Amino acid sequence: MKLRRYSWLTTLYILVTFAAGPFSQKARAELFITEYIEGSSFNKAIEIYNPNSESVDLSTYELQLYSNGNSSPNMTQALSDSIAPGDVYVIANPSAVAAILAVTDAISNVINFNGDDAVALLNGGAIIDVIGQVGFDPGSEWFSGGIGTQNETLRRKTDIFAGDTESSDVFLPD
C-alpha cells in the first residue's frame, strides 16, 4: 500500500465533501483536477480527485496536452487503474524529482507543460476539466490576481466541486 501525502487543501476538501452528505455526492459525481504542479525543469504533475463514494475506473479517461495555443492536442495519455472514493490520482513527468515521484500513481510524458500550455481531463472523449485555455497562447503564462501558471503549484479552491468543462473560456488562475 502506497502512503499518500495530501496537501492541506486536499485534506480540507475531502472533509468538506464527505461532511456534505449523499445529496451533495450526486451533484459532484465527476472527477476533476485539484492540483497542478508546474515546477522548474521536469518537475510537473497533475492531481485528479474522486469526490464519489465509490471507486472510479479510469479506463474511459485521458489527459490531453495542448501546447503553445494549439486547438488540437499535441499529446494524449489514456489513463488506467482506478481512484478510490475521496482519494486522488497523481500523474507526473517521469523525470520529476524523487519527492514528486514518491506520491505519484502514474508517470507520463503528457505531463510536459510549461505554464502556457493547456491540460485537459476527458471522460469518454468529453472534456470534464481543463487548466488553461485551449486554442489560446497567453505568452509565457496565464496570470491573474497575482497568481500565474509558470513555475507554480495551483490548488483548487475548496468551494469548487466540479471541473471547468469549457475548454475555450478565459482561464484565470486566481
Side-chain angles (χ1 to χ4, degrees):
M1 176 181 221
K2 185 192 298 189
L3 288 175
R4 168 89 50 215
R5 195 186 85 192
Y6 293 108
S7 69
W8 69 272
L9 280 174
T10 302
T11 302
L12 178 62
Y13 185 86
I14 291 168
L15 292 172
V16 169
T17 299
F18 283 101
F23 176 75
S24 298
Q25 292 300 324
K26 291 179 182 178
R28 300 183 301 256
E30 193 57 84
L31 305 178
F32 61 98
I33 298 169
T34 49
E35 191 164 312
Y36 162 97
I37 299 171
E38 200 290 297
S40 62
S41 190
F42 294 106
N43 297 318
K44 299 160 188 340
I46 292 288
E47 176 187 86
I48 302 168
Y49 174 64
N50 175 8
N52 294 289
S53 59
E54 297 188 17
S55 291
V56 173
D57 177 6
L58 294 174
S59 64
T60 61
Y61 291 82
E62 62 187 18
L63 275 178
Q64 292 183 338
L65 173 65
Y66 295 81
S67 298
N68 304 317
N70 283 340
S71 55
S72 297
N74 296 78
M75 296 180 77
T76 299
Q77 175 68 53
L79 301 181
S80 59
D81 209 354
S82 64
I83 306 178
D87 201 0
V88 295
Y89 190 83
V90 179
I91 305 155
N93 185 287
S95 297
V97 295
I100 293 173
L101 295 175
V103 295
T104 297
D105 297 293
I107 57 172
S108 173
N109 286 320
V110 77
I111 307 297
N112 195 29
F113 38 85
N114 62 9
D116 68 345
D117 303 322
V119 180
L121 175 64
L122 290 80
N123 182 6
I127 292 180
I128 59 169
D129 200 4
V130 64
I131 300 292
Q133 182 180 352
V134 173
F136 178 75
D137 188 346
S140 60
E141 67 180 324
W142 279 277
F143 191 85
S144 65
I147 299 172
T149 53
Q150 187 177 53
N151 295 321
E152 294 287 342
T153 296
L154 302 179
R155 291 180 185 94
R156 276 270 163 72
K157 294 178 180 179
T158 57
D159 61 346
I160 303 295
F161 300 109
D164 177 4
T165 60
E166 298 298 323
S167 63
S168 62
D169 64 352
V170 174
F171 178 72
L172 303 172
D174 66 337

